[in-house]
Amino acid sequence: MYPPQLVAPMKAELTNVGFQDLTSAEEVDNFMQNMKGTALVVINSVCGCAAGAARPGVRASLERSEIKPDQLATVFAGFDSEAVAKMREYTLPYPPSSPAVALFKDGELIHFVERHHIEGRSAEMIAQHLQMAYEEFCAEEA
């Protein structure tokens, strides 16, 4: 487990732009069971690819895109272990991965970006990838 003072600023990178910080299995279940529309969930982490690509890419994708998920949430690997374990149940059949970005529609996983899709890529590449996913999955159906 990482110390709270280490994790706090990394959590704030997402919560300061509207992400709900889910810290328990109950909060994850409640979020998932009450989801309406689309939701972007970030499985956050202290690793370099989270700091250099995932968090900045996620933030940029939301700043730039006219089409966005309806809800935003995050869990933190290595800190909120119960919440992360519960969220990983919702991202099956994908193996545990952090950082990772999941897009859900009405509680169903529709797009997943695993760590190996984040490592070695720039924040700009992550942002562009997510913007395309929003356009495909979050656009209002006519």
Side-chain angles (χ1 to χ4, degrees):
M1 289 285 271
Y2 296 107
Q5 63 272 25
L6 175 71
V7 171
M10 296 176 207
K11 282 186 170 208
E13 286 184 58
L14 296 178
T15 58
N16 287 346
V17 296
F19 280 79
Q20 182 180 347
D21 185 23
L22 307 175
T23 61
S24 70
E26 285 177 335
E27 287 179 354
V28 170
D29 275 339
N30 187 46
F31 179 83
M32 295 302 293
Q33 291 165 8
N34 294 303
M35 182 185 304
K36 301 263 190 283
T38 55
L40 185 70
V41 176
V42 176
I43 300 174
N44 203 349
S45 164
V46 299
C47 73
C49 63
R55 290 190 301 268
V58 166
R59 287 192 326 268
S61 74
L62 294 169
E63 289 168 7
R64 296 182 197 157
S65 187
E66 290 183 28
I67 300 168
K68 298 177 173 72
D70 300 312
Q71 298 172 301
L72 306 171
T74 184
V75 295
F76 205 99
F79 189 74
D80 297 316
S81 301
E82 194 182 292
V84 172
K86 181 54 75 173
M87 184 55 71
R88 286 180 172 153
E89 291 177 18
Y90 289 100
T91 62
L92 289 171
Y94 293 96
S97 180
S98 58
V101 183
L103 188 60
F104 294 90
K105 187 166 192 166
D106 298 325
E108 180 185 340
L109 182 64
I110 55 174
H111 189 73
F112 194 65
V113 182
E114 297 176 82
R115 178 186 178 111
H116 71 266
H117 292 124
I118 296 169
E119 288 178 309
R121 290 178 174 80
S122 68
E124 180 61 29
M125 292 171 77
I126 302 300
Q128 289 175 1
H129 176 95
L130 291 173
Q131 285 177 267
M132 288 189 293
Y134 305 157
E135 289 173 17
E136 180 176 353
F137 297 112
C138 299
E140 290 293 321
E141 296 176 16

